[in-house]
PDB file of all heavy atoms in Angstrom:
ATOM      1  N   SER A 114    -175.111  48.690-131.629  1.00  0.00           N
ATOM      2  CA  SER A 114    -175.690  48.992-132.945  1.00  0.00           C
ATOM      3  C   SER A 114    -177.068  48.376-133.085  1.00  0.00           C
ATOM      4  O   SER A 114    -178.000  49.007-133.569  1.00  0.00           O
ATOM      5  CB  SER A 114    -174.784  48.472-134.056  1.00  0.00           C
ATOM      6  OG  SER A 114    -173.576  49.174-134.077  1.00  0.00           O
ATOM      7  N   LEU A 115    -177.189  47.130-132.658  1.00  0.00           N
ATOM      8  CA  LEU A 115    -178.473  46.437-132.751  1.00  0.00           C
ATOM      9  C   LEU A 115    -179.546  47.197-131.983  1.00  0.00           C
ATOM     10  O   LEU A 115    -180.639  47.440-132.496  1.00  0.00           O
ATOM     11  CB  LEU A 115    -178.329  45.008-132.206  1.00  0.00           C
ATOM     12  CG  LEU A 115    -179.587  44.161-132.145  1.00  0.00           C
ATOM     13  CD1 LEU A 115    -180.212  44.001-133.518  1.00  0.00           C
ATOM     14  CD2 LEU A 115    -179.274  42.801-131.543  1.00  0.00           C
ATOM     15  N   THR A 116    -179.227  47.626-130.775  1.00  0.00           N
ATOM     16  CA  THR A 116    -180.191  48.348-129.951  1.00  0.00           C
ATOM     17  C   THR A 116    -180.542  49.701-130.556  1.00  0.00           C
ATOM     18  O   THR A 116    -181.699  50.116-130.535  1.00  0.00           O
ATOM     19  CB  THR A 116    -179.639  48.529-128.521  1.00  0.00           C
ATOM     20  OG1 THR A 116    -179.376  47.231-127.980  1.00  0.00           O
ATOM     21  CG2 THR A 116    -180.632  49.242-127.636  1.00  0.00           C
ATOM     22  N   SER A 117    -179.552  50.383-131.158  1.00  0.00           N
ATOM     23  CA  SER A 117    -179.851  51.703-131.721  1.00  0.00           C
ATOM     24  C   SER A 117    -180.711  51.615-132.978  1.00  0.00           C
ATOM     25  O   SER A 117    -181.507  52.504-133.242  1.00  0.00           O
ATOM     26  CB  SER A 117    -178.561  52.476-132.014  1.00  0.00           C
ATOM     27  OG  SER A 117    -177.892  51.956-133.125  1.00  0.00           O
ATOM     28  N   VAL A 118    -180.584  50.555-133.741  1.00  0.00           N
ATOM     29  CA  VAL A 118    -181.340  50.423-134.987  1.00  0.00           C
ATOM     30  C   VAL A 118    -182.692  49.748-134.766  1.00  0.00           C
ATOM     31  O   VAL A 118    -183.681  50.097-135.402  1.00  0.00           O
ATOM     32  CB  VAL A 118    -180.509  49.658-136.048  1.00  0.00           C
ATOM     33  CG1 VAL A 118    -181.323  49.422-137.309  1.00  0.00           C
ATOM     34  CG2 VAL A 118    -179.231  50.420-136.381  1.00  0.00           C
ATOM     35  N   PHE A 119    -182.754  48.799-133.851  1.00  0.00           N
ATOM     36  CA  PHE A 119    -183.990  48.034-133.614  1.00  0.00           C
ATOM     37  C   PHE A 119    -184.389  48.062-132.141  1.00  0.00           C
ATOM     38  O   PHE A 119    -184.664  47.024-131.545  1.00  0.00           O
ATOM     39  CB  PHE A 119    -183.812  46.585-134.084  1.00  0.00           C
ATOM     40  CG  PHE A 119    -183.680  46.449-135.562  1.00  0.00           C
ATOM     41  CD1 PHE A 119    -182.432  46.270-136.139  1.00  0.00           C
ATOM     42  CD2 PHE A 119    -184.789  46.522-136.387  1.00  0.00           C
ATOM     43  CE1 PHE A 119    -182.296  46.151-137.525  1.00  0.00           C
ATOM     44  CE2 PHE A 119    -184.667  46.404-137.763  1.00  0.00           C
ATOM     45  CZ  PHE A 119    -183.415  46.224-138.323  1.00  0.00           C
ATOM     46  N   LYS A 120    -184.430  49.252-131.568  1.00  0.00           N
ATOM     47  CA  LYS A 120    -184.719  49.404-130.136  1.00  0.00           C
ATOM     48  C   LYS A 120    -186.026  48.696-129.779  1.00  0.00           C
ATOM     49  O   LYS A 120    -187.076  48.971-130.351  1.00  0.00           O
ATOM     50  CB  LYS A 120    -184.806  50.874-129.778  1.00  0.00           C
ATOM     51  CG  LYS A 120    -184.939  51.118-128.291  1.00  0.00           C
ATOM     52  CD  LYS A 120    -184.724  52.570-127.964  1.00  0.00           C
ATOM     53  CE  LYS A 120    -184.792  52.820-126.491  1.00  0.00           C
ATOM     54  NZ  LYS A 120    -183.692  52.311-125.733  1.00  0.00           N
ATOM     55  N   GLY A 121    -185.925  47.765-128.828  1.00  0.00           N
ATOM     56  CA  GLY A 121    -187.101  47.029-128.377  1.00  0.00           C
ATOM     57  C   GLY A 121    -187.510  45.890-129.299  1.00  0.00           C
ATOM     58  O   GLY A 121    -188.483  45.194-129.017  1.00  0.00           O
ATOM     59  N   GLN A 122    -186.801  45.703-130.397  1.00  0.00           N
ATOM     60  CA  GLN A 122    -187.140  44.642-131.357  1.00  0.00           C
ATOM     61  C   GLN A 122    -185.948  43.708-131.601  1.00  0.00           C
ATOM     62  O   GLN A 122    -185.846  43.105-132.652  1.00  0.00           O
ATOM     63  CB  GLN A 122    -187.556  45.255-132.687  1.00  0.00           C
ATOM     64  CG  GLN A 122    -188.754  46.154-132.625  1.00  0.00           C
ATOM     65  CD  GLN A 122    -189.077  46.714-134.003  1.00  0.00           C
ATOM     66  OE1 GLN A 122    -188.863  46.084-135.024  1.00  0.00           O
ATOM     67  NE2 GLN A 122    -189.591  47.914-134.034  1.00  0.00           N
ATOM     68  N   GLU A 123    -185.056  43.596-130.621  1.00  0.00           N
ATOM     69  CA  GLU A 123    -183.835  42.815-130.807  1.00  0.00           C
ATOM     70  C   GLU A 123    -184.125  41.353-131.141  1.00  0.00           C
ATOM     71  O   GLU A 123    -183.510  40.786-132.054  1.00  0.00           O
ATOM     72  CB  GLU A 123    -182.929  42.928-129.570  1.00  0.00           C
ATOM     73  CG  GLU A 123    -182.365  44.317-129.335  1.00  0.00           C
ATOM     74  CD  GLU A 123    -183.289  45.266-128.577  1.00  0.00           C
ATOM     75  OE1 GLU A 123    -184.442  44.892-128.265  1.00  0.00           O
ATOM     76  OE2 GLU A 123    -182.847  46.389-128.304  1.00  0.00           O
ATOM     77  N   ASN A 124    -185.066  40.741-130.440  1.00  0.00           N
ATOM     78  CA  ASN A 124    -185.405  39.331-130.726  1.00  0.00           C
ATOM     79  C   ASN A 124    -186.041  39.185-132.100  1.00  0.00           C
ATOM     80  O   ASN A 124    -185.746  38.229-132.829  1.00  0.00           O
ATOM     81  CB  ASN A 124    -186.326  38.759-129.647  1.00  0.00           C
ATOM     82  CG  ASN A 124    -185.602  38.537-128.341  1.00  0.00           C
ATOM     83  OD1 ASN A 124    -184.384  38.328-128.313  1.00  0.00           O
ATOM     84  ND2 ASN A 124    -186.333  38.603-127.239  1.00  0.00           N
ATOM     85  N   GLU A 125    -186.893  40.130-132.444  1.00  0.00           N
ATOM     86  CA  GLU A 125    -187.518  40.093-133.761  1.00  0.00           C
ATOM     87  C   GLU A 125    -186.467  40.256-134.862  1.00  0.00           C
ATOM     88  O   GLU A 125    -186.576  39.663-135.924  1.00  0.00           O
ATOM     89  CB  GLU A 125    -188.584  41.184-133.892  1.00  0.00           C
ATOM     90  CG  GLU A 125    -189.813  40.967-133.031  1.00  0.00           C
ATOM     91  CD  GLU A 125    -189.676  41.532-131.616  1.00  0.00           C
ATOM     92  OE1 GLU A 125    -188.550  41.884-131.197  1.00  0.00           O
ATOM     93  OE2 GLU A 125    -190.707  41.595-130.919  1.00  0.00           O
ATOM     94  N   PHE A 126    -185.429  41.077-134.590  1.00  0.00           N
ATOM     95  CA  PHE A 126    -184.347  41.238-135.556  1.00  0.00           C
ATOM     96  C   PHE A 126    -183.657  39.895-135.817  1.00  0.00           C
ATOM     97  O   PHE A 126    -183.383  39.551-136.967  1.00  0.00           O
ATOM     98  CB  PHE A 126    -183.308  42.255-135.081  1.00  0.00           C
ATOM     99  CG  PHE A 126    -182.049  42.193-135.879  1.00  0.00           C
ATOM    100  CD1 PHE A 126    -181.992  42.753-137.157  1.00  0.00           C
ATOM    101  CD2 PHE A 126    -180.925  41.524-135.400  1.00  0.00           C
ATOM    102  CE1 PHE A 126    -180.845  42.654-137.924  1.00  0.00           C
ATOM    103  CE2 PHE A 126    -179.774  41.434-136.155  1.00  0.00           C
ATOM    104  CZ  PHE A 126    -179.732  41.998-137.417  1.00  0.00           C
ATOM    105  N   LEU A 127    -183.374  39.156-134.761  1.00  0.00           N
ATOM    106  CA  LEU A 127    -182.718  37.855-134.936  1.00  0.00           C
ATOM    107  C   LEU A 127    -183.583  36.927-135.790  1.00  0.00           C
ATOM    108  O   LEU A 127    -183.083  36.247-136.693  1.00  0.00           O
ATOM    109  CB  LEU A 127    -182.419  37.218-133.577  1.00  0.00           C
ATOM    110  CG  LEU A 127    -181.400  37.975-132.724  1.00  0.00           C
ATOM    111  CD1 LEU A 127    -181.283  37.345-131.342  1.00  0.00           C
ATOM    112  CD2 LEU A 127    -180.052  38.032-133.411  1.00  0.00           C
TER     113      LEU A 127
END
Side-chain angles (χ1 to χ4, degrees):
S114 293
L115 176 59
T116 301
S117 73
V118 176
F119 292 101
K120 187 168 182 71
Q122 300 180 32
E123 294 84 356
N124 288 333
E125 291 87 347
F126 166 77
L127 295 174

